[in-house]
């Protein structure tokens, strides 16, 4: 059974600092997704990573995928308050259409 | 505008009273899914559909039914709701490869 773990679950960081959120998964997969959710809102797609070594960047966020290590990272550079949200990674199980989500990382950025 | 719509957005009901949450997408996507979101548990897949008349169970299908008679619609049916089905529900659609598009969510309370 595929398990997806995110670390940390909660992250409080100062504006201007850098940090990384980790997403580990337990079985073979080559498709990983990152989503953002604001309080009371739906999920918004951030990144789609479809192969080993894939790296995507958008603004202050950069995501990468290492399928051999079964690890994806979401790196935050010079955090700003607008990045405060909950971030989810999700993994597509190999040869199925099941998408398994991590429990989420709640990020708070303070001045 | 590409979108996934859900109705109702909020629903309070009593135990045992059958209800249906509708989901519709206008992107001609083959794949559609239902998720429930509970604090500390992230999103868990209830059912998914790969195309018209093709559905499969996700991780938490007990107490739910779905149907896919048309490509654009994927209703979630609770035949006899119970309090443990109180949750935030999301419908999503996608091509099967790239990101999923999520609906706005339905907050269900069963008393």
């Amino acid at each position: 059974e595929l398990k997806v773990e995110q670390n940390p679950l909660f992250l409080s960081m100062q504006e201007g600092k850098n940090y990384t959120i980790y997403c580990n998964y337990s079985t073979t997969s080559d498709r990983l997704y990152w989503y953002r959710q604001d309080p009371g809102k739906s999920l918004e797609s951030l990144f789609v990573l479809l192969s080993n070594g894939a790296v995507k960047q958008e603004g202050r966020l950069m995501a990468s995928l290492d399928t051999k290590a079964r690890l994806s990272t979401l790196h935050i550079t010079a955090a700003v308050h607008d990045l405060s949200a909950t971030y989810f990674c999700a993994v597509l199980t190999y040869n199925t259409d099941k998408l398994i989500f991590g429990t989420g990382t709640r990020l708070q950025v303070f001045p | 505008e590409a979108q996934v719509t859900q109705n109702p957005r909020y629903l309070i009901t009593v135990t045992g009273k059958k209800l249906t949450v509708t989901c519709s997408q206008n992107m001609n996507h083959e794949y559609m899914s239902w998720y429930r979101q509970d604090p500390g548990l992230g999103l868990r897949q209830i059912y998914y559909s790969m195309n018209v008349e093709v559905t499969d169970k996700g991780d938490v299908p007990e107490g739910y039914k779905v149907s896919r008679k048309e490509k654009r619609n994927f209703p979630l049916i609770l035949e006899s709701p119970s309090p443990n089905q109180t949750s935030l529900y999301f419908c999503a659609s996608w091509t099967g490869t790239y990101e999923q598009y999520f609906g706005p969510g339905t907050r269900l309370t069963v008393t």
Side-chain angles (χ1 to χ4, degrees):
Chain A
E1 180 186 343
L2 174 62
K3 292 193 184 299
V4 181
E5 292 185 347
Q6 282 183 239
N7 288 290
L9 298 183
F10 181 76
L11 177 57
S12 180
M13 58 189 298
Q14 196 171 17
E15 279 189 332
K17 299 292 188 182
N18 304 333
Y19 209 83
T20 301
I21 299 171
Y22 297 89
C23 175
N24 291 273
Y25 55 98
S26 61
T27 191
T28 302
S29 176
D30 59 359
R31 297 190 200 178
L32 192 136
Y33 306 82
W34 283 96
Y35 291 89
R36 168 183 171 143
Q37 185 180 35
D38 292 300
K41 303 290 187 182
S42 186
L43 282 82
E44 171 192 354
S45 176
L46 292 174
F47 300 108
V48 179
L49 303 170
L50 298 178
S51 61
N52 185 41
V55 177
K56 295 279 184 75
Q57 182 164 6
E58 180 75 31
R60 302 175 187 274
L61 300 177
M62 183 173 71
S64 65
L65 177 62
D66 182 342
T67 58
K68 294 179 182 176
R70 296 177 183 170
L71 171 69
S72 179
T73 60
L74 180 66
H75 186 73
I76 304 156
T77 301
V80 293
H81 179 70
D82 284 352
L83 290 179
S84 297
T86 299
Y87 294 84
F88 292 94
C89 65
V91 178
L92 193 70
T93 52
Y94 192 68
N95 279 341
T96 76
D97 298 303
K98 279 191 179 183
L99 194 63
I100 307 297
F101 280 79
T103 51
T105 296
R106 186 178 169 198
L107 171 66
Q108 284 188 337
V109 181
F110 59 92
Chain B
E1 179 191 354
Q3 62 180 354
V4 177
T5 57
Q6 292 179 231
N7 283 291
R9 295 287 313 279
Y10 303 90
L11 179 60
I12 300 174
T13 190
V14 296
T15 299
K17 186 176 181 181
K18 181 179 179 180
L19 67 92
T20 299
V21 184
T22 64
C23 173
S24 183
Q25 52 101 356
N26 64 0
M27 294 166 279
N28 202 37
H29 287 163
E30 286 80 17
Y31 293 80
M32 298 185 75
S33 297
W34 275 103
Y35 299 88
R36 60 178 290 172
Q37 183 176 26
D38 302 289
L41 296 176
L43 278 86
R44 293 178 292 167
Q45 194 172 45
I46 303 171
Y47 270 95
Y48 60 100
S49 169
M50 294 75 81
N51 214 324
V52 175
E53 303 290 3
V54 183
T55 63
D56 204 351
K57 296 178 181 179
D59 289 323
V60 288
E62 295 78 19
Y64 304 94
K65 286 176 59 177
V66 292
S67 68
R68 187 95 181 272
K69 293 183 169 49
E70 304 168 281
K71 199 172 188 179
R72 62 183 293 126
N73 296 323
F74 190 43
L76 180 69
I77 303 156
L78 284 72
E79 295 269 2
S80 183
S82 62
N84 64 13
Q85 292 178 299
T86 292
S87 188
L88 179 59
Y89 291 87
F90 288 102
C91 177
S93 75
W94 64 320
T95 61
T97 300
Y98 299 104
E99 70 271 27
Q100 294 198 356
Y101 290 80
F102 283 81
T106 295
R107 188 167 293 280
L108 172 65
T109 302
V110 183
T111 62

